[in-house]
Amino acid sequence: MQAIAARRVVSAIFFMCGSSIGLWASRIPDVKSATGLDEGGFGLLLLVMASGAFVAFPFTGILIDRLGAAPATKIFSVAIVVSFTTIGFAPTTFLLALAMFVTGFCIGALDVSMNGWGAEVETSLGRPVMTSFHGLYSLGAGVSAAAGGLAIEIGLSLPLHFGLWAAITAPFLIWFWRQPWPQMNVSAGSGDKAPLFALPKGALVLAGLIALVGAFGEGAITDWAALYQIDDLGYSEAIAPTAFTVFSIAMVVMRLAGDRVIARYGPVRVARISGVVAFLGCLLLVSGINIWVVWTGCFIMGIGYAVMFPLAMSRAASDPHMSKGTALAAVATLGYGAFLLGPPLLGFVGDALSLRASFGAVALLTLALPFLASALKSPPQR
């Protein structure tokens, strides 16, 4: 019963975290417009956000090893709402950069801690559930992105939109804060002196690369799909968030079904097929033939990328050679770091060539997934 109650709370926090990303994705064109920066300059701002996450990863891993994933999740769930709200109210580019750094830190910390707690719940239940957690994350992102499109349509200002999101989220945070926190096992390696910064070792390196490629594609859609449609394809700003919404819906569908699919066919086979599917979706997006082809490509990409990050994080949590917190932080450094670091790099490519070329680079990187999938085999335990 304790694990079932914890599953409900973890599911809720994944949904809330996803809603913050959807909020951000829907208003990126407005944030960029307010700064007056080109793709390269705005890419530097995104790099500031990425650096915040990189700072957070090692500290969060140590915190999980010493205190447990649940307390860390509780703290950072509140912090992420506060930090995202400051983005909407930042009056200058400097203060916006500061707000984005803090937000990046909170995103990275919450991502590692909630995945750590999700892995504990998965172990307690004795069946795959991590993919469904990420499905609720994608559902939250899709709902929030769709709401963002509506907010743009009715002319809601950035401060009002971000403030309204915080007000809607606040009751949930109060509920979440008051929930009992079942203290599941802290990592067996928590008594050891964990390194401040660690990278994956052995087969976990390949699992980290799977997370990297999957998160790179997801970050590209989150931060650049709307601008790609507006700047390169000439579509209106009001319909541009639809691409991310369609992508998120596909992620939800696949992730909610993913636990059963993985249990039946195994993580390696599922990852290989998913990599091929994601590549085909990228090709449709890059073609830009018409808006329906673009949205279809986004949907197919969502199906393909859906299970990559959850599978990599589950593999990290079960690694026999590193403590849970350190392993999760190490894979997150490659994987979730790519979600934040990838978009700035794509911005530089877009500035030099075009955003179409940026998504072409995403397609080429996706080709690596079928070859990396063997790293997802369950490792022998010590």
Side-chain angles (χ1 to χ4, degrees), residues 28-70:
I28 281 177
D30 294 299
V31 175
K32 177 177 176 293
S33 177
T35 64
L37 298 173
D38 59 14
E39 279 79 4
F42 191 68
L44 287 175
L45 271 182
L46 295 177
L47 188 60
V48 170
M49 180 179 279
S51 66
F54 275 109
V55 172
F57 291 145
F59 286 105
T60 309
I62 293 172
L63 186 65
I64 291 172
D65 283 339
R66 293 182 178 176
L67 302 180

Side-chain angles (χ1 to χ4, degrees), residues 16 51 67-68 97 101-102 122 131-132 138 161 164 174 183 192 204 264 272-273 283 301 312:
M16 186 276 291
S51 66
L67 302 180
F101 177 86
V102 174
E122 187 174 60
T131 304
S132 65
S138 297
H161 186 189
L164 182 61
I174 295 172
Q183 184 58 52
D192 302 329
L204 198 58
R264 181 171 180 178
R272 283 175 177 158
I273 295 173
L283 293 183
M301 287 173 69

Side-chain angles (χ1 to χ4, degrees), residues 22 25 138-139 141-147 218 221-222 225-226 229 239-255 281 284-285 291-306:
S138 297
L139 180 61
V143 170
S144 187
E218 189 174 349
I221 292 291
T222 301
Q229 292 170 91
I239 66 170
T242 304
F244 180 76
T245 301
V246 168
F247 177 83
S248 297
I249 290 171
M251 296 277 278
V252 171
V253 171
M254 184 59 192
R255 283 176 167 176
L284 291 178
L285 175 63
I291 193 64
W292 297 106
V293 171
V294 169
W295 290 349
T296 299
C298 289
F299 186 88
I300 294 174
M301 287 173 69
I303 294 291
Y305 285 128

